[in-house]
Amino acid sequence: MAEVIDFEDLKKDSGDLKNLEDSELQKLSNNIQKQLDLDKTIEELEETIKEFKRERAILSEETIPQQMQELGISDTTMADGSRITIKEGFHCRIPKDKIEQAHAYLRENELGDIIKNQVVTSFGTGEDNMAGDLAGHIQDQYGITPDVKESVHPSTLKATLKKRHEEGLSDPDDLFGIFIRPETKIIKGKK
């Protein structure tokens, strides 16, 4: 059970609560306690879900592929019609401390078009007209320096580097955190 709210503590409150009837305070106390209990239950369930996901990942990426490899099969169909295959799972990401190097590599290898550029600036209250006039000389005219951010969407990076991998091209693992592991794919049967 989560932190317990005491009805008597609410009665002693020096704020707006002191003018309420005991029955109203009791209802409030019960509802506060219910929310605290639900928060604790949600937290526990989220932790349970994380554990289930870890267990599922071990089955999908290690146990089942290894067993199927030992049995010399790469796919099978269950009695319910579900089809099980082992596919190569391709994963990558750009570590935060390697963003500049990774972007330079992408540009050098004619992959710069997957890099997105974002220019952002902020305006204060009443500066709507200034925001509308932003077509030109931001720094000179308004003294505002926009933030410039470059990024590569994770799905775009994965698709691009996976395609290159399939074409026999290799990219630096240290810049893109590339790792390949088997994954169990299950297409459920119709029964």
Side-chain angles (χ1 to χ4, degrees), residues 80-112:
D80 70 354
S82 295
R83 182 173 172 157
I84 294 79
T85 58
I86 305 301
K87 303 242 180 188
E88 182 179 83
F90 185 92
H91 304 273
C92 59
R93 65 175 184 76
I94 299 175
K96 287 183 181 179
D97 63 335
K98 304 275 186 179
I99 290 174
E100 287 183 31
Q101 293 169 295
H103 288 191
Y105 174 86
L106 291 170
R107 286 187 177 98
E108 290 165 10
N109 287 275
E110 298 180 15
L111 299 169

Side-chain angles (χ1 to χ4, degrees), residues 17-34:
L17 298 179
K18 67 181 179 182
N19 297 327
L20 297 176
E21 301 282 327
D22 280 358
S23 64
E24 292 170 315
L25 285 175
Q26 186 62 54
K27 284 180 191 176
L28 175 60
S29 176
N30 291 343
N31 285 329
I32 292 170
Q33 187 62 55
K34 185 175 181 178

Side-chain angles (χ1 to χ4, degrees), residues 9-151:
D9 287 342
L10 283 177
K11 283 177 64 172
K12 294 177 191 171
D13 184 272
S14 62
D16 295 334
L17 298 179
K18 67 181 179 182
N19 297 327
L20 297 176
E21 301 282 327
D22 280 358
S23 64
E24 292 170 315
L25 285 175
Q26 186 62 54
K27 284 180 191 176
L28 175 60
S29 176
N30 291 343
N31 285 329
I32 292 170
Q33 187 62 55
K34 185 175 181 178
Q35 180 175 336
L36 287 170
D37 292 344
L38 287 171
D39 288 345
K40 180 69 174 165
T41 300
I42 289 168
E43 185 180 310
E44 290 168 355
L45 289 172
E46 286 173 343
E47 192 56 42
T48 300
I49 288 171
K50 285 181 189 175
E51 185 55 40
F52 283 148
K53 286 182 177 182
R54 282 189 288 269
E55 187 177 336
R56 185 200 180 281
I58 291 169
L59 283 170
S60 176
E61 298 162 10
E62 297 173 21
T63 308
I64 295 172
Q66 183 179 3
Q67 287 176 325
M68 288 180 70
Q69 183 179 15
E70 288 169 0
L71 294 171
I73 56 175
S74 59
D75 64 74
T76 187
T77 303
M78 305 296 290
D80 70 354
S82 295
R83 182 173 172 157
I84 294 79
T85 58
I86 305 301
K87 303 242 180 188
E88 182 179 83
F90 185 92
H91 304 273
C92 59
R93 65 175 184 76
I94 299 175
K96 287 183 181 179
D97 63 335
K98 304 275 186 179
I99 290 174
E100 287 183 31
Q101 293 169 295
H103 288 191
Y105 174 86
L106 291 170
R107 286 187 177 98
E108 290 165 10
N109 287 275
E110 298 180 15
L111 299 169
D113 58 336
I114 71 169
I115 300 171
K116 296 189 185 292
N117 288 286
Q118 184 179 28
V119 178
V120 180
T121 189
S122 298
F123 295 91
T125 304
E127 296 179 332
D128 292 343
N129 290 337
M130 192 185 322
D133 293 339
L134 186 62
H137 304 83
I138 296 173
Q139 181 67 37
D140 295 339
Q141 207 165 9
Y142 301 115
I144 298 170
T145 304
D147 293 326
V148 178
K149 180 182 176 190
E150 291 184 337
S151 66

